[in-house]
Amino acid sequence: MRIVLADDERLVRTALRAILDSEPGMEVVGEATTGAEAIPLVRQLRPDIVLMDVRMPQIDGIRATEQILAQMPEPPRIIVVTTFENDAYVYDALRAGASGFLLKRSKAEELVQAVRLVARSDSLLFPTAVRALAARHAGERAAHDAARRLRARLSEREGAVLRLMAEGLTNAEIAARLGVGPATVKTHVAGVLAKLGVRDRTQAVIAAYECGFVLPG
């Protein structure tokens, strides 16, 4: 798993590199000190994962995330790194396309687990925190007509899968809850992503909260 670090604090980058490089199957292949540096570096190195600081000079992590996802046909998964989990910047980064977020005070094992989880992309990273962010921010933008349009696009089973995705369940857990096979769940998840026009389950869940299809709480 090839990883790029983008953070304007050298000590943070050094600590992240030491943890990740010590893990089997993980390698930090590049570092950037600003969002402006991160964009061409990621295009050049084509990593699997980018750990992106939310607040950086020149171009912040939100804009850098948007540009990377827009400019690359097969972009990496991006985890934004932040100090405060309820920061509006974090929610904006998720809306911009980040696959999850990580707190700078996270323990080494939490960092490694988060990277592996996002790489697998079969469940939501920190679902409780995402729901809290949605309650704070998405509720202000929810529109009932948008929820009705989303219900019309999704089959009944796809809607059920989306709600369970929002709870943070893995594909295997969703399969057990619905009494179907994991392959069937994987097909439904793919259908949900296609109909919503998003690339991963984090953006699907954010979209579901924003239109009121899934309610916070």
Side-chain angles (χ1 to χ4, degrees):
M1 192 185 307
R2 292 160 50 82
I3 303 166
V4 162
L5 308 176
D7 196 299
D8 60 333
E9 296 184 44
R10 185 171 62 85
L11 288 178
V12 172
R13 297 196 312 274
T14 300
L16 291 175
R17 176 183 280 274
I19 294 168
L20 296 170
D21 277 347
S22 68
E23 282 295 311
M26 292 188 184
E27 179 188 9
V28 175
V29 295
E31 298 182 16
T33 61
T34 68
E37 288 181 10
I39 296 166
L41 184 66
V42 170
R43 286 203 308 264
Q44 174 190 351
L45 297 177
R46 297 188 173 278
D48 303 296
I49 299 286
V50 177
L51 292 181
M52 180 86 71
D53 188 16
V54 171
R55 304 191 186 200
M56 290 184 289
Q58 298 180 24
I59 296 178
D60 64 23
I62 300 168
R63 303 285 86 78
T65 294
E66 288 177 336
Q67 292 189 37
I68 288 170
L69 296 179
Q71 294 175 12
M72 297 181 65
E74 296 183 7
R77 297 193 180 277
I78 298 175
I79 303 173
V80 292
V81 183
T82 180
T83 304
F84 305 106
E85 64 186 88
N86 62 353
D87 197 327
Y89 279 88
V90 175
Y91 189 73
D92 286 341
L94 296 178
R95 293 184 77 242
S99 295
F101 71 91
L102 188 69
L103 297 179
K104 288 192 174 182
R105 64 176 181 271
S106 297
K107 298 177 182 178
E109 58 268 26
E110 293 172 334
L111 166 64
V112 172
Q113 182 181 13
V115 170
R116 294 196 187 282
L117 183 61
V118 168
R120 288 201 311 269
S121 70
D122 69 343
S123 65
L124 200 63
L125 180 61
F126 302 139
T128 302
V130 171
R131 286 197 296 270
L133 283 167
R136 181 182 297 250
H137 302 288
E140 303 167 0
R141 312 169 190 180
H144 294 296
D145 58 339
R148 286 194 293 270
R149 289 195 298 272
L150 180 55
R151 289 190 184 95
R153 291 204 301 274
L154 299 179
S155 68
E156 182 178 349
R157 181 51 59 89
E158 286 170 341
V161 168
L162 178 55
R163 290 187 177 91
L164 294 175
M165 286 164 58
E167 290 182 24
L169 272 62
T170 65
N171 287 354
E173 290 168 338
I174 294 173
R177 181 78 66 89
L178 297 179
V180 299
T184 300
V185 172
K186 188 174 181 179
T187 298
H188 287 316
V189 170
V192 169
L193 300 185
K195 290 181 180 180
L196 269 60
V198 297
R199 76 181 284 259
D200 67 25
R201 63 205 299 141
T202 302
Q203 278 70 57
V205 169
I206 292 296
Y209 277 115
E210 290 215 331
C211 76
F213 183 79
V214 174
L215 299 177

